[in-house]
Amino acid sequence: MASLAERPARRALPALLLGGVAIGFSPIFVRLSELGPVATGFYRLFLALPLLWLWMQREARPRGTAKAGWLPMAVPGILFAGDILFWHWSITYTTVANATLFANFAPVVVTFGAWFWLREQITLRFLAGMALAMGGAALLVNASAALGARYVLGDLLGLITACFFGAYVLAVARLRERSAASAIMFYSSAVSCGLLLAATLMSGESLLPRSANGWIVLFALAWISQAMGQGLIAYALGHLPASFSALAILIEPLTAALLGWVWLGEALGVLQAIGGAIVVAGITVARRASGPV
């Protein structure tokens, strides 16, 4: 019985890292989308809803769904809508690697919130791992960050994104104490979807892609980055500390930088390769400082 109970926890770390890789595809899909950034964000949530609903139905008795109610589920939905709105705008004004890096300053927000709100114990060794990982992420995007003032607006939008995403991670971590990941993802995504639809209509962006390829990009964004990526992260937050989970998601800028190099021709140099290795080293240090699952 103890072995069976430990299995979900043992899957949490691989799920977290795979989720980080999956959402690392999202800036590429946003860049390739035929629609504006807000409309693309709407479809990211809307097209993921059927998969999230099936996941929720498949889970036997999602624990605590009735206890949580709509209002708590709406909070991460509102925060995630803000995250998507500002991040997709950021990607249109700066490089893929830069947008992803600044958005992933969220570990600072989450670590403070986890210590203050969730009462997680934050050790000096964990802080050292976080500093190492974030320093590696800075090296990873060093070339794009040095290109000058034309990226300032996009980088600022990325920092705002970090605040929204950090708050979203904290909200999901708190809900995971009494609710299933599938229920949180479905209901919060439905709220985000409605808010982004309203924002799309207000912005005047088109809701119809021009070609079949445009639809393929939107479905890939919804199914890979949202349903799979964010779903795996929400699952992991039920078993891992929020502070470490947010830090481990720094695997995302590494993934995005590699994909940006392969698909979009955004060159990577030696410093960025070293930065990627440092990110992994920092995550490893922080993981050991977080104790056993």
Side-chain angles (χ1 to χ4, degrees), residues 134-160:
M134 296 189 72
L139 276 179
L140 183 64
V141 299
N142 178 66
S144 59
L147 290 178
R150 59 177 174 157
Y151 292 118
V152 169
L153 176 59
D155 295 344
L156 179 60
L157 292 172
L159 287 174
I160 296 173

PDB file of all heavy atoms in Angstrom, residues 134-160:
ATOM      1  N   MET A 134      19.148  30.959 -12.285  1.00  0.00           N
ATOM      2  CA  MET A 134      18.750  32.200 -12.934  1.00  0.00           C
ATOM      3  C   MET A 134      19.941  32.893 -13.584  1.00  0.00           C
ATOM      4  O   MET A 134      19.809  33.554 -14.620  1.00  0.00           O
ATOM      5  CB  MET A 134      18.051  33.105 -11.925  1.00  0.00           C
ATOM      6  CG  MET A 134      16.757  32.494 -11.411  1.00  0.00           C
ATOM      7  SD  MET A 134      15.751  33.611 -10.430  1.00  0.00           S
ATOM      8  CE  MET A 134      15.152  34.717 -11.715  1.00  0.00           C
ATOM      9  N   GLY A 135      21.140  32.735 -12.991  1.00  0.00           N
ATOM     10  CA  GLY A 135      22.338  33.244 -13.651  1.00  0.00           C
ATOM     11  C   GLY A 135      22.605  32.522 -14.956  1.00  0.00           C
ATOM     12  O   GLY A 135      22.992  33.137 -15.965  1.00  0.00           O
ATOM     13  N   GLY A 136      22.384  31.200 -14.948  1.00  0.00           N
ATOM     14  CA  GLY A 136      22.542  30.438 -16.188  1.00  0.00           C
ATOM     15  C   GLY A 136      21.539  30.857 -17.233  1.00  0.00           C
ATOM     16  O   GLY A 136      21.867  30.947 -18.424  1.00  0.00           O
ATOM     17  N   ALA A 137      20.299  31.145 -16.793  1.00  0.00           N
ATOM     18  CA  ALA A 137      19.284  31.608 -17.736  1.00  0.00           C
ATOM     19  C   ALA A 137      19.662  32.949 -18.339  1.00  0.00           C
ATOM     20  O   ALA A 137      19.417  33.208 -19.517  1.00  0.00           O
ATOM     21  CB  ALA A 137      17.928  31.707 -17.030  1.00  0.00           C
ATOM     22  N   ALA A 138      20.301  33.814 -17.535  1.00  0.00           N
ATOM     23  CA  ALA A 138      20.756  35.103 -18.061  1.00  0.00           C
ATOM     24  C   ALA A 138      21.829  34.914 -19.124  1.00  0.00           C
ATOM     25  O   ALA A 138      21.836  35.590 -20.161  1.00  0.00           O
ATOM     26  CB  ALA A 138      21.282  35.969 -16.920  1.00  0.00           C
ATOM     27  N   LEU A 139      22.760  33.983 -18.877  1.00  0.00           N
ATOM     28  CA  LEU A 139      23.775  33.674 -19.894  1.00  0.00           C
ATOM     29  C   LEU A 139      23.136  33.091 -21.147  1.00  0.00           C
ATOM     30  O   LEU A 139      23.565  33.365 -22.268  1.00  0.00           O
ATOM     31  CB  LEU A 139      24.796  32.669 -19.343  1.00  0.00           C
ATOM     32  CG  LEU A 139      25.965  33.198 -18.523  1.00  0.00           C
ATOM     33  CD1 LEU A 139      26.837  32.041 -18.070  1.00  0.00           C
ATOM     34  CD2 LEU A 139      26.793  34.183 -19.344  1.00  0.00           C
ATOM     35  N   LEU A 140      22.098  32.294 -20.932  1.00  0.00           N
ATOM     36  CA  LEU A 140      21.430  31.623 -22.046  1.00  0.00           C
ATOM     37  C   LEU A 140      20.903  32.604 -23.068  1.00  0.00           C
ATOM     38  O   LEU A 140      20.932  32.351 -24.271  1.00  0.00           O
ATOM     39  CB  LEU A 140      20.288  30.761 -21.490  1.00  0.00           C
ATOM     40  CG  LEU A 140      19.492  29.905 -22.460  1.00  0.00           C
ATOM     41  CD1 LEU A 140      20.377  28.855 -23.090  1.00  0.00           C
ATOM     42  CD2 LEU A 140      18.336  29.246 -21.735  1.00  0.00           C
ATOM     43  N   VAL A 141      20.418  33.751 -22.618  1.00  0.00           N
ATOM     44  CA  VAL A 141      19.850  34.735 -23.540  1.00  0.00           C
ATOM     45  C   VAL A 141      20.741  35.966 -23.651  1.00  0.00           C
ATOM     46  O   VAL A 141      20.289  37.036 -24.039  1.00  0.00           O
ATOM     47  CB  VAL A 141      18.437  35.156 -23.104  1.00  0.00           C
ATOM     48  CG1 VAL A 141      17.496  33.978 -23.100  1.00  0.00           C
ATOM     49  CG2 VAL A 141      18.469  35.839 -21.756  1.00  0.00           C
ATOM     50  N   ASN A 142      22.015  35.816 -23.303  1.00  0.00           N
ATOM     51  CA  ASN A 142      22.923  36.959 -23.269  1.00  0.00           C
ATOM     52  C   ASN A 142      22.970  37.720 -24.582  1.00  0.00           C
ATOM     53  O   ASN A 142      22.930  38.948 -24.615  1.00  0.00           O
ATOM     54  CB  ASN A 142      24.329  36.479 -22.899  1.00  0.00           C
ATOM     55  CG  ASN A 142      25.343  37.604 -22.890  1.00  0.00           C
ATOM     56  OD1 ASN A 142      25.268  38.510 -22.072  1.00  0.00           O
ATOM     57  ND2 ASN A 142      26.278  37.554 -23.833  1.00  0.00           N
ATOM     58  N   ALA A 143      23.026  37.003 -25.703  1.00  0.00           N
ATOM     59  CA  ALA A 143      23.150  37.670 -27.000  1.00  0.00           C
ATOM     60  C   ALA A 143      21.924  38.507 -27.324  1.00  0.00           C
ATOM     61  O   ALA A 143      22.023  39.665 -27.734  1.00  0.00           O
ATOM     62  CB  ALA A 143      23.385  36.632 -28.106  1.00  0.00           C
ATOM     63  N   SER A 144      20.742  37.941 -27.114  1.00  0.00           N
ATOM     64  CA  SER A 144      19.529  38.680 -27.445  1.00  0.00           C
ATOM     65  C   SER A 144      19.304  39.821 -26.468  1.00  0.00           C
ATOM     66  O   SER A 144      18.778  40.869 -26.829  1.00  0.00           O
ATOM     67  CB  SER A 144      18.319  37.744 -27.466  1.00  0.00           C
ATOM     68  OG  SER A 144      18.146  37.129 -26.221  1.00  0.00           O
ATOM     69  N   ALA A 145      19.711  39.637 -25.205  1.00  0.00           N
ATOM     70  CA  ALA A 145      19.505  40.690 -24.213  1.00  0.00           C
ATOM     71  C   ALA A 145      20.383  41.897 -24.485  1.00  0.00           C
ATOM     72  O   ALA A 145      20.078  42.990 -24.047  1.00  0.00           O
ATOM     73  CB  ALA A 145      19.787  40.148 -22.813  1.00  0.00           C
ATOM     74  N   ALA A 146      21.477  41.714 -25.205  1.00  0.00           N
ATOM     75  CA  ALA A 146      22.424  42.805 -25.428  1.00  0.00           C
ATOM     76  C   ALA A 146      22.122  43.599 -26.696  1.00  0.00           C
ATOM     77  O   ALA A 146      22.887  44.482 -27.050  1.00  0.00           O
ATOM     78  CB  ALA A 146      23.843  42.228 -25.498  1.00  0.00           C
ATOM     79  N   LEU A 147      21.032  43.300 -27.364  1.00  0.00           N
ATOM     80  CA  LEU A 147      20.777  43.937 -28.650  1.00  0.00           C
ATOM     81  C   LEU A 147      20.250  45.363 -28.562  1.00  0.00           C
ATOM     82  O   LEU A 147      20.143  46.022 -29.568  1.00  0.00           O
ATOM     83  CB  LEU A 147      19.794  43.067 -29.460  1.00  0.00           C
ATOM     84  CG  LEU A 147      20.374  41.739 -29.950  1.00  0.00           C
ATOM     85  CD1 LEU A 147      19.321  40.947 -30.699  1.00  0.00           C
ATOM     86  CD2 LEU A 147      21.599  41.956 -30.830  1.00  0.00           C
ATOM     87  N   GLY A 148      19.881  45.834 -27.381  1.00  0.00           N
ATOM     88  CA  GLY A 148      19.576  47.254 -27.248  1.00  0.00           C
ATOM     89  C   GLY A 148      18.156  47.618 -26.910  1.00  0.00           C
ATOM     90  O   GLY A 148      17.330  46.789 -26.539  1.00  0.00           O
ATOM     91  N   ALA A 149      17.880  48.926 -27.057  1.00  0.00           N
ATOM     92  CA  ALA A 149      16.660  49.533 -26.528  1.00  0.00           C
ATOM     93  C   ALA A 149      15.398  49.077 -27.245  1.00  0.00           C
ATOM     94  O   ALA A 149      14.308  49.190 -26.690  1.00  0.00           O
ATOM     95  CB  ALA A 149      16.765  51.049 -26.611  1.00  0.00           C
ATOM     96  N   ARG A 150      15.506  48.552 -28.437  1.00  0.00           N
ATOM     97  CA  ARG A 150      14.287  48.191 -29.154  1.00  0.00           C
ATOM     98  C   ARG A 150      13.548  47.039 -28.499  1.00  0.00           C
ATOM     99  O   ARG A 150      12.395  46.772 -28.821  1.00  0.00           O
ATOM    100  CB  ARG A 150      14.612  47.839 -30.610  1.00  0.00           C
ATOM    101  CG  ARG A 150      15.582  46.689 -30.785  1.00  0.00           C
ATOM    102  CD  ARG A 150      15.778  46.384 -32.266  1.00  0.00           C
ATOM    103  NE  ARG A 150      16.806  45.390 -32.485  1.00  0.00           N
ATOM    104  CZ  ARG A 150      16.873  44.636 -33.567  1.00  0.00           C
ATOM    105  NH1 ARG A 150      15.949  44.764 -34.509  1.00  0.00           N
ATOM    106  NH2 ARG A 150      17.838  43.778 -33.726  1.00  0.00           N
ATOM    107  N   TYR A 151      14.208  46.341 -27.557  1.00  0.00           N
ATOM    108  CA  TYR A 151      13.563  45.229 -26.879  1.00  0.00           C
ATOM    109  C   TYR A 151      13.075  45.591 -25.475  1.00  0.00           C
ATOM    110  O   TYR A 151      12.560  44.734 -24.759  1.00  0.00           O
ATOM    111  CB  TYR A 151      14.523  44.031 -26.770  1.00  0.00           C
ATOM    112  CG  TYR A 151      14.837  43.410 -28.110  1.00  0.00           C
ATOM    113  CD1 TYR A 151      16.139  43.395 -28.600  1.00  0.00           C
ATOM    114  CD2 TYR A 151      13.835  42.846 -28.887  1.00  0.00           C
ATOM    115  CE1 TYR A 151      16.430  42.830 -29.823  1.00  0.00           C
ATOM    116  CE2 TYR A 151      14.111  42.278 -30.118  1.00  0.00           C
ATOM    117  CZ  TYR A 151      15.409  42.274 -30.582  1.00  0.00           C
ATOM    118  OH  TYR A 151      15.689  41.720 -31.797  1.00  0.00           O
ATOM    119  N   VAL A 152      13.241  46.848 -25.063  1.00  0.00           N
ATOM    120  CA  VAL A 152      12.911  47.227 -23.693  1.00  0.00           C
ATOM    121  C   VAL A 152      11.438  46.978 -23.374  1.00  0.00           C
ATOM    122  O   VAL A 152      11.096  46.434 -22.321  1.00  0.00           O
ATOM    123  CB  VAL A 152      13.270  48.710 -23.434  1.00  0.00           C
ATOM    124  CG1 VAL A 152      12.682  49.175 -22.108  1.00  0.00           C
ATOM    125  CG2 VAL A 152      14.780  48.882 -23.425  1.00  0.00           C
ATOM    126  N   LEU A 153      10.534  47.376 -24.274  1.00  0.00           N
ATOM    127  CA  LEU A 153       9.108  47.196 -24.028  1.00  0.00           C
ATOM    128  C   LEU A 153       8.769  45.722 -23.863  1.00  0.00           C
ATOM    129  O   LEU A 153       8.052  45.329 -22.934  1.00  0.00           O
ATOM    130  CB  LEU A 153       8.291  47.803 -25.170  1.00  0.00           C
ATOM    131  CG  LEU A 153       6.768  47.599 -25.079  1.00  0.00           C
ATOM    132  CD1 LEU A 153       6.221  48.192 -23.787  1.00  0.00           C
ATOM    133  CD2 LEU A 153       6.073  48.205 -26.291  1.00  0.00           C
ATOM    134  N   GLY A 154       9.274  44.877 -24.757  1.00  0.00           N
ATOM    135  CA  GLY A 154       8.999  43.448 -24.667  1.00  0.00           C
ATOM    136  C   GLY A 154       9.544  42.843 -23.394  1.00  0.00           C
ATOM    137  O   GLY A 154       8.911  41.989 -22.772  1.00  0.00           O
ATOM    138  N   ASP A 155      10.743  43.292 -22.967  1.00  0.00           N
ATOM    139  CA  ASP A 155      11.327  42.768 -21.732  1.00  0.00           C
ATOM    140  C   ASP A 155      10.520  43.198 -20.511  1.00  0.00           C
ATOM    141  O   ASP A 155      10.330  42.422 -19.566  1.00  0.00           O
ATOM    142  CB  ASP A 155      12.772  43.253 -21.597  1.00  0.00           C
ATOM    143  CG  ASP A 155      13.667  42.703 -22.703  1.00  0.00           C
ATOM    144  OD1 ASP A 155      13.255  41.740 -23.374  1.00  0.00           O
ATOM    145  OD2 ASP A 155      14.769  43.243 -22.893  1.00  0.00           O
ATOM    146  N   LEU A 156      10.016  44.439 -20.515  1.00  0.00           N
ATOM    147  CA  LEU A 156       9.183  44.905 -19.411  1.00  0.00           C
ATOM    148  C   LEU A 156       7.887  44.109 -19.332  1.00  0.00           C
ATOM    149  O   LEU A 156       7.438  43.716 -18.243  1.00  0.00           O
ATOM    150  CB  LEU A 156       8.879  46.393 -19.589  1.00  0.00           C
ATOM    151  CG  LEU A 156       7.973  47.029 -18.512  1.00  0.00           C
ATOM    152  CD1 LEU A 156       8.618  46.909 -17.136  1.00  0.00           C
ATOM    153  CD2 LEU A 156       7.701  48.491 -18.852  1.00  0.00           C
ATOM    154  N   LEU A 157       7.288  43.843 -20.474  1.00  0.00           N
ATOM    155  CA  LEU A 157       6.080  43.013 -20.497  1.00  0.00           C
ATOM    156  C   LEU A 157       6.381  41.608 -19.964  1.00  0.00           C
ATOM    157  O   LEU A 157       5.548  40.984 -19.306  1.00  0.00           O
ATOM    158  CB  LEU A 157       5.519  42.937 -21.918  1.00  0.00           C
ATOM    159  CG  LEU A 157       4.948  44.239 -22.486  1.00  0.00           C
ATOM    160  CD1 LEU A 157       4.615  44.072 -23.971  1.00  0.00           C
ATOM    161  CD2 LEU A 157       3.712  44.684 -21.714  1.00  0.00           C
ATOM    162  N   GLY A 158       7.590  41.127 -20.237  1.00  0.00           N
ATOM    163  CA  GLY A 158       7.992  39.821 -19.718  1.00  0.00           C
ATOM    164  C   GLY A 158       8.075  39.815 -18.195  1.00  0.00           C
ATOM    165  O   GLY A 158       7.693  38.843 -17.544  1.00  0.00           O
ATOM    166  N   LEU A 159       8.581  40.896 -17.619  1.00  0.00           N
ATOM    167  CA  LEU A 159       8.657  40.990 -16.157  1.00  0.00           C
ATOM    168  C   LEU A 159       7.266  41.031 -15.525  1.00  0.00           C
ATOM    169  O   LEU A 159       7.028  40.441 -14.471  1.00  0.00           O
ATOM    170  CB  LEU A 159       9.454  42.231 -15.762  1.00  0.00           C
ATOM    171  CG  LEU A 159      10.966  42.159 -15.995  1.00  0.00           C
ATOM    172  CD1 LEU A 159      11.609  43.509 -15.708  1.00  0.00           C
ATOM    173  CD2 LEU A 159      11.596  41.078 -15.120  1.00  0.00           C
ATOM    174  N   ILE A 160       6.337  41.752 -16.168  1.00  0.00           N
ATOM    175  CA  ILE A 160       4.957  41.774 -15.679  1.00  0.00           C
ATOM    176  C   ILE A 160       4.363  40.367 -15.751  1.00  0.00           C
ATOM    177  O   ILE A 160       3.651  39.914 -14.844  1.00  0.00           O
ATOM    178  CB  ILE A 160       4.112  42.771 -16.489  1.00  0.00           C
ATOM    179  CG1 ILE A 160       4.640  44.190 -16.278  1.00  0.00           C
ATOM    180  CG2 ILE A 160       2.640  42.687 -16.099  1.00  0.00           C
ATOM    181  CD1 ILE A 160       3.982  45.226 -17.166  1.00  0.00           C
TER     182      ILE A 160
END
